[in-house]
Amino acid sequence: SVDPNVSALVRARCDLWLCPSNESWAFKAPIPALGTIHDLMHIYEPHFPEVGSPAEIREREFHFKETCRWALGVTVDSDVGRRQLCDAYDISPNQVYVLPYIAPKYIYDSARTPNRQKRNDLPAKYLFYPATFWVHKNHANLFAAIDKLRHEYPDIRLVLAGSRQNGYDAAVEHVNKLGIKDHVVFLGYVPDEGMYELYRRARALVMPSFFGPTNIPQLEAFVAGCPVAVSRVYGVPDQVGDAALLFDPNSVDEIADAIRRLWTDDTLCASLVEKGKRKARDWGPEQFSERLQEIVESLVGATSTREKSRELAGMREVS
């Protein structure tokens, strides 16, 4: 039987179907499609259970191979993402389009009409890390850095926002074992509308994730005027430029040094805020839309996308 959703897409006879997430429609329906592949961390970081289980690897490999085989084009977040995709799968670089992330719409909306409602569960001064509690988010080394600094700076506080996943219980246990419970605040899941104010009031965003190629929280912080320190991994250095401090996420000492600088140096924080805001102005919704339009126009071009799709399918069959 034919999937009714696929039938509906075929009947629509659209020139190009845009798939902005890891959706199967990029290869499931016989229509011209622009697919998206966000990361290949199951290849580059398979030791983390959230991407390295046999079932997850099978699902990702099937999905990504089929997307590369049948989609007219594929968007990635960075030049690093493009290189990784071309290295991993049978896809021409000419079919892979770099479309860097921007901060989510709710951050821009909140920046225009910020909510100044005071939260009673926030310290007066704090570091912020919004991340679902996956193991690869590396809360463990961040806690170790806080432990290293707490005697030097007794007022240091870390605020965490994020839903519980496979790393949550270990994170709580780690905090208790280190004896830093008074220095760490677990907010749990925070709705979108509450995120901007958490960034705005934070001393800095500290993001020690092992994953990439790039990430979104630093972009949210740039819009909100929050200084940033982030992992030196994959495409992140190119993403943030000089608007953030970089550290090795495996090094507690480097994380602690970045925190120390942000916690004590007002001039540095002010400089990072200005550079981050400039980054957000230089690459924001307007530039993102223009780049997406360029990609779409390059795919619909002089030759119809249906002809291109048939040509691409034929090339794949021959190869």
Side-chain angles (χ1 to χ4, degrees):
S1 60
V2 178
D3 187 320
N5 294 308
V6 172
S7 298
L9 290 175
V10 172
R11 286 196 303 271
R13 299 181 62 83
C14 58
D15 292 321
L16 186 67
W17 184 255
L18 305 184
C19 302
S21 189
N22 292 333
E23 295 148 328
S24 60
W25 300 115
F27 61 84
K28 203 169 188 179
I31 57 175
L34 176 62
T36 299
I37 295 179
H38 294 301
D39 70 77
L40 300 181
M41 292 299 104
H42 69 292
I43 295 175
Y44 290 90
E45 303 285 351
H47 47 285
F48 289 104
E50 48 266 35
V51 295
S53 70
E56 182 68 19
I57 289 176
R58 282 195 303 271
E59 172 65 22
R60 281 175 163 243
E61 282 293 290
F62 170 76
H63 190 107
F64 296 163
K65 284 179 180 178
E66 291 300 293
T67 297
C68 289
R69 182 184 184 195
W70 295 111
L72 203 58
V74 180
T75 62
V76 293
D77 67 338
S78 60
D79 290 329
V80 171
R82 185 183 189 186
R83 290 195 298 271
Q84 290 179 344
L85 194 66
C86 292
D87 287 345
Y89 303 114
D90 180 22
I91 187 169
S92 166
N94 294 330
Q95 290 173 244
V96 185
Y97 298 85
V98 176
L99 183 63
Y101 296 139
I102 58 172
K105 182 176 182 295
Y106 62 80
I107 290 292
Y108 287 100
D109 290 344
S110 297
R112 286 189 291 270
T113 57
N115 177 10
R116 294 290 192 259
Q117 184 176 356
K118 183 175 177 58
R119 293 187 62 136
N120 296 323
D121 52 355
L122 293 178
K125 182 180 179 182
Y126 63 89
L127 306 166
F128 185 44
Y129 185 28
T132 300
F133 283 85
W134 296 111
V135 178
H136 75 265
K137 296 297 186 180
N138 197 21
H139 289 86
N141 282 350
L142 181 54
F143 295 153
I146 295 296
D147 182 44
K148 183 181 179 69
L149 295 169
R150 64 183 169 122
H151 298 296
E152 188 176 355
Y153 306 104
D155 63 333
I156 199 163
R157 297 293 184 272
L158 171 65
V159 171
L160 305 172
S163 58
R164 302 183 182 189
Q165 290 293 345
N166 66 355
Y168 180 78
D169 292 341
V172 173
E173 182 179 353
H174 199 175
V175 165
N176 291 333
K177 184 177 180 179
L178 290 173
I180 58 173
K181 188 175 180 180
D182 291 341
H183 298 269
V184 181
V185 178
F186 289 85
L187 295 181
Y189 172 76
V190 175
D192 291 348
E193 58 269 20
M195 290 298 296
Y196 177 85
E197 193 66 6
L198 290 172
Y199 280 112
R200 189 190 69 82
R201 292 174 56 182
R203 178 67 175 187
L205 165 71
V206 182
M207 184 168 178
S209 176
F210 288 111
F211 277 17
T214 63
N215 289 297
I216 292 177
Q218 49 261 44
L219 304 179
E220 297 178 323
F222 290 163
V223 175
C226 176
V228 172
V230 66
S231 297
R232 190 190 304 110
V233 295
Y234 300 107
V236 170
D238 289 337
Q239 181 190 32
V240 300
D242 65 351
L245 301 184
L246 295 168
F247 54 73
D248 178 356
N250 289 292
S251 172
V252 172
D253 287 343
E254 285 195 27
I255 298 172
D257 182 62
I259 290 173
R260 180 184 291 107
R261 294 177 65 192
L262 292 169
W263 196 254
T264 60
D265 192 334
D266 293 345
T267 301
L268 171 64
C269 287
S271 175
L272 290 175
V273 166
E274 182 54 39
K275 291 175 180 178
K277 288 183 176 180
R278 189 181 307 125
K279 274 277 186 183
R281 289 193 298 268
D282 290 345
W283 184 257
E286 181 179 352
Q287 293 84 358
F288 182 94
S289 296
E290 290 175 353
R291 173 58 180 155
L292 179 57
Q293 184 174 347
E294 289 176 359
I295 294 170
V296 170
E297 289 177 351
S298 73
L299 289 174
V300 297
T303 304
S304 77
T305 54
R306 294 183 186 281
E307 291 173 351
K308 285 186 177 180
S309 188
R310 285 195 294 270
E311 179 185 354
L312 177 60
M315 291 171 58
R316 292 294 187 186
E317 291 299 328
V318 170
S319 63

